[in-house]
C-alpha cells in the first residue's frame, strides 16, 4: 500500500508525545483545537481496531466455490465480510457520511458475480462492468450470467493478486490509484455516495491467481433518496489522514450532490503554515458520468503542494467551493496518544451546513418524471428490468434515467 510514516504535532497549550512529532522539526505546524485532537484520537483508535488479517485463497472461504460444472459460488468467511464493511464505514465516517449496511441477499448476489468472474478468469486489465468482452461458458446458466452482468455493471470491482486485508480492497477503491480509466475517481464517488444505504460484498479467486472483488454500490431505491450531505470533498473537511491524501496517482476530488457544474474550474491549494499556494493540475470534470449519483464530479492533482502531516490546507475551487483541512497520521502509538485525550470524540466529521435537499431538487424532479411515465403493466416497471438499461457502460453516465426518458 501507499502508507507513509508521517506524524502530527499540535501547537497551543496542548503538548503531545512522540506519536505527534513532525519529521521536519523546522516546519511550523497547524494549531489543533481540543475537539480536533479528540477527533484525531478517535479516528486513530477506530483505524487501529480494524482487522489487519491478510486473506488468500486458503483462508477466504467458509465454503470454497466450485468454478466448473456443477458451478457453485461458495461462501466467504463472515469475518471477511464484517471486516470489509467496517472499513467501508470507517472511511465514510471520515467524510461525515452515515454508515451503510449489508444483507445476506446482496452479499449472495455479489458473491455469485465474483465467482462467475473468477470462473472465466475475466481479463483484469480491461473494463469488466457488465462483462462486455466475456463469453458465457456452458456450465453457467443464462439467468446467473445475466445476474453477473447486471451486478458487475452496478458495483465497484477490484482485481488483485496480492494477499490483502479485507480493508485493503476498500482502500484501493477509496484512493482509486489503480483505476483503469485514469483519474475519474468513480469508485471513490460510489463508495462515498451521499445516497448509498446498502452494499453487498463478494470475492473469489480465479485459476489465474487473481482475486475478483465485488462491492455493490448502485441500488434502485437509493436513487430516490435525499442526499445526506450537500458536498463530499477529498481530502475531507476538518481532519484527514495524511496517508490517504498522498500517493502515486491519488487524485483529490470534489463532489456536489445536487448542484451541477460542468466547467473546468481553477483550483488552488494553500498551505496555511508555510503560506505557499500552488495551482492544482490535471483538473477534470466528470459530472456527465454521474458517479455516486453526484451532480458534480471534479478531480484534480495537488500539483507541487507538499503534503505534510500536522499542516493545514485551504482549497479554493473558483467561486464554487472553499474549505480547509488538517492532516494527521492515521497510524500511531495509541498508548501514548491516549494519555493526552482531552474530550470525547464524535463518530463522524461535522456535516456541512446545507439547505433541505428534498425541496424541488433537479434530481428528485427528474426521478418524479421517471415514476410518472412508468407503465405498471410493462415489464420495464419491474426493478430488475431497469438494469437492462445499464449495459454498455450506461450506468455511470448520470442516471440511466437519462437514457430511459431521453433527457438531455
Amino acid at each position: 500500500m501507499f502508507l507513509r510514516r508521517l506524524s502530527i504535532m499540535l501547537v497551543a497549550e496542548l503538548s503531545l508525545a512522540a506519536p505527534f512529532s513532525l519529521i521536519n522539526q523546522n516546519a511550523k505546524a497547524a494549531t489543533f483545537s481540543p475537539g480536533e485532537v479528540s477527533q484525531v484520537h478517535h479516528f486513530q483508535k477506530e483505524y487501529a481496531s480494524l482487522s489487519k488479517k491478510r486473506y488468500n485463497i486458503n483462508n477466504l472461504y467458509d465454503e470454497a466455490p466450485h468454478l466448473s460444472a456443477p458451478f457453485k459460488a461458495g461462501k466467504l468467511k463472515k469475518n471477511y465480510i464484517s471486516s470489509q464493511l467496517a472499513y467501508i464505514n470507517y472511511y465514510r465516517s471520515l467524510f461525515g457520511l452515515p454508515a451503510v449496511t449489508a444483507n445476506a441477499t446482496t452479499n449472495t448476489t455479489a458473491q455469485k458475480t465474483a465467482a462467475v468472474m473468477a470462473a472465466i478468469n475475466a481479463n483484469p486489465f480491461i473494463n469488466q462492468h457488465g462483462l462486455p468482452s466475456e463469453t458465457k461458458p456452458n456450465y453457467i446458466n443464462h439467468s446467473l450470467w445475466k445476474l453477473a452482468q447486471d451486478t458487475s455493471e452496478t458495483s465497484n470491482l477490484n482485481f488483485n493478486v496480492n494477499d490483502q486485508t479485507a480493508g485493503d480492497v476498500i482502500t484501493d477503491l477509496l484512493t482509486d490509484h489503480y483505476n483503469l480509466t485514469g483519474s475519474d475517481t468513480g469508485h471513490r464517488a460510489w463508495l462515498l455516495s451521499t445516497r448509498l444505504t446498502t452494499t453487498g460484498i463478494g470475492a473469489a479467486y480465479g485459476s489465474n491467481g487473481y482475486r475478483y472483488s465485488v462491492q455493490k454500490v448502485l441500488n434502485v431505491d437509493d436513487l430516490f433518496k435525499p442526499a445526506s450531505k450537500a458536498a463530499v470533498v477529498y481530502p475531507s473537511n476538518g481532519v484527514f489522514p495524511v496517508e490517504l491524501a498522498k500517493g502515486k496517482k491519488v487524485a483529490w476530488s470534489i463532489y456536489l450532490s445536487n448542484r451541477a457544474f460542468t466547467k473546468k474550474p481553477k483550483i488552488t491549494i494553500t498551505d496555511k503554515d508555510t503560506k505557499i499556494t500552488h495551482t492544482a493540475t490535471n483538473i477534470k470534470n466528470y459530472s456527465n458520468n454521474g458517479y455516486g449519483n453526484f451532480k458534480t464530479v471534479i478531480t484534480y492533482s495537488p500539483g507541487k503542494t507538499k503534503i505534510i502531516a500536522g499542516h493545514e490546507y485551504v482549497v479554493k475551487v473558483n467561486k464554487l467551493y472553499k474549505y480547509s483541512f488538517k492532516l494527521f497520521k492515521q497510524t500511531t502509538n495509541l498508548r501514548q496518544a491516549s494519555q493526552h485525550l482531552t474530550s470525547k470524540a464524535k463518530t463522524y466529521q461535522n456535516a456541512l451546513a446545507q439547505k433541505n435537499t428534498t425541496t424541488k431538487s433537479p434530481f428528485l424532479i427528474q426521478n418524479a418524471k421517471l415514476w410518472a411515465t412508468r407503465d405498471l403493466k410493462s415489464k420495464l416497471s419491474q426493478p430488475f428490468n431497469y438494469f437492462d438499461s445499464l449495459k454498455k457502460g450506461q450506468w455511470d453516465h448520470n442516471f440511466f434515467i437519462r437514457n430511459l426518458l431521453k433527457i438531455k
Side-chain angles (χ1 to χ4, degrees):
M1 299 303 293
F2 59 87
L3 300 181
R4 298 288 187 270
R5 288 184 172 242
L6 293 174
S7 18
I8 182 173
M9 171 189 279
L10 305 185
V11 177
E13 298 180 356
L14 299 173
S15 175
L16 300 186
F20 297 98
S21 62
L22 283 173
I23 290 178
N24 181 2
Q25 296 293 341
N26 295 323
K28 181 182 177 183
T31 299
F32 286 66
S33 69
E36 289 171 332
V37 174
S38 178
Q39 196 167 53
V40 166
H41 287 160
H42 170 76
F43 285 135
Q44 289 171 331
K45 184 178 180 180
E46 288 290 302
Y47 181 75
S49 69
L50 295 171
S51 174
K52 306 303 187 294
K53 179 178 180 178
R54 293 187 176 275
Y55 289 86
N56 54 49
I57 194 172
N58 297 314
N59 66 353
L60 182 65
Y61 308 114
D62 259 342
E63 295 179 15
H66 192 272
L67 302 180
S68 58
F71 179 85
K72 292 184 179 179
K75 292 183 180 180
L76 294 176
K77 292 280 188 182
K78 292 181 179 179
N79 287 344
Y80 180 88
I81 295 176
S82 61
S83 177
Q84 190 158 108
L85 184 63
Y87 271 92
I88 291 171
N89 285 326
Y90 165 73
Y91 286 136
R92 285 178 63 85
S93 75
L94 289 173
F95 297 84
L97 295 169
V100 299
T101 60
N103 58 65
T105 299
T106 313
N107 286 337
T108 298
T109 298
Q111 181 59 25
K112 288 180 178 179
T113 302
V116 166
M117 298 177 74
I120 61 175
N121 286 323
N123 188 340
F125 302 107
I126 63 174
N127 170 39
Q128 291 295 354
H129 292 289
L131 307 179
S133 304
E134 305 296 339
T135 302
K136 183 186 79 65
N138 292 332
Y139 58 86
I140 293 178
N141 62 46
H142 288 282
S143 61
L144 179 57
W145 183 255
K146 187 175 187 305
L147 175 71
Q149 286 181 312
D150 292 338
T151 305
S152 63
E153 188 68 72
T154 56
S155 297
N156 278 336
L157 306 178
N158 179 270
F159 315 131
N160 208 303
V161 295
N162 299 319
D163 292 353
Q164 290 184 309
T165 70
D168 287 337
V169 178
I170 303 305
T171 305
D172 286 347
L173 295 173
L174 180 74
T175 57
D176 234 348
H177 61 298
Y178 289 135
N179 195 338
L180 292 174
T181 57
S183 64
D184 58 56
T185 69
H187 301 102
R188 176 192 300 166
W190 285 109
L191 185 66
L192 302 179
S193 173
T194 55
R195 291 182 167 89
L196 183 67
T197 58
T198 61
T199 190
I201 294 167
Y205 279 90
S207 60
N208 58 3
Y210 274 87
R211 184 209 59 244
Y212 294 87
S213 294
V214 176
Q215 185 220 352
K216 187 76 165 64
V217 289
L218 176 57
N219 308 300
V220 171
D221 290 344
D222 288 346
L223 291 170
F224 304 93
K225 296 182 182 299
S228 58
K229 289 187 67 174
V232 175
V233 288
Y234 189 105
S236 65
N237 183 47
V239 297
F240 190 75
V242 67
E243 295 94 335
L244 301 177
K246 62 188 303 182
K248 187 177 181 180
K249 296 183 179 179
V250 176
W252 292 7
S253 56
I254 175 171
Y255 310 140
L256 303 181
S257 296
N258 297 313
R259 182 178 177 184
F261 183 84
T262 57
K263 298 180 181 180
K264 187 169 73 172
K266 178 181 178 181
I267 302 175
T268 59
I269 305 102
T270 300
D271 184 328
K272 291 189 67 176
D273 304 293
T274 63
K275 311 300 182 184
I276 297 175
T277 297
H278 288 290
T279 300
T281 59
N282 198 30
I283 302 171
K284 295 185 179 181
N285 193 316
Y286 294 96
S287 299
N288 288 336
N289 294 33
Y291 298 122
N293 288 325
F294 289 104
K295 285 292 188 180
T296 296
V297 176
I298 296 172
T299 66
Y300 61 97
S301 167
K304 296 181 179 180
T305 303
K306 292 184 178 180
I307 304 170
I308 304 171
H311 281 214
E312 180 177 6
Y313 299 83
V314 176
V315 177
K316 185 176 181 181
V317 187
N318 274 16
K319 296 181 180 180
L320 182 68
Y321 205 86
K322 182 180 179 181
Y323 79 104
S324 64
F325 61 90
K326 300 175 184 178
L327 295 176
F328 71 92
K329 187 184 177 189
Q330 188 172 235
T331 54
T332 189
N333 187 324
L334 287 175
R335 178 179 298 179
Q336 293 180 356
S338 63
Q339 296 174 359
H340 304 276
L341 189 60
T342 58
S343 60
K344 293 182 179 180
K346 296 180 179 179
T347 302
Y348 301 116
Q349 299 270 27
N350 290 329
L352 298 175
Q354 55 181 302
K355 295 180 180 179
N356 183 351
T357 57
T358 65
T359 305
K360 295 184 178 180
S361 73
F363 182 85
L364 292 183
I365 291 174
Q366 191 178 69
N367 288 332
K369 291 179 180 179
L370 171 63
W371 286 110
T373 59
R374 291 181 67 199
D375 178 1
L376 296 179
K377 296 181 180 179
S378 169
K379 292 183 179 180
L380 185 62
S381 67
Q382 301 302 316
F384 186 81
N385 294 98
Y386 276 111
F387 292 101
D388 290 337
S389 65
L390 308 184
K391 297 300 181 293
K392 300 179 181 179
Q394 296 180 46
W395 78 283
D396 58 355
H397 293 291
N398 193 6
F399 324 128
F400 53 87
I401 298 171
R402 192 181 298 273
N403 295 297
L404 289 174
L405 297 183
K406 308 300 182 184
I407 296 175
K408 297 180 179 181

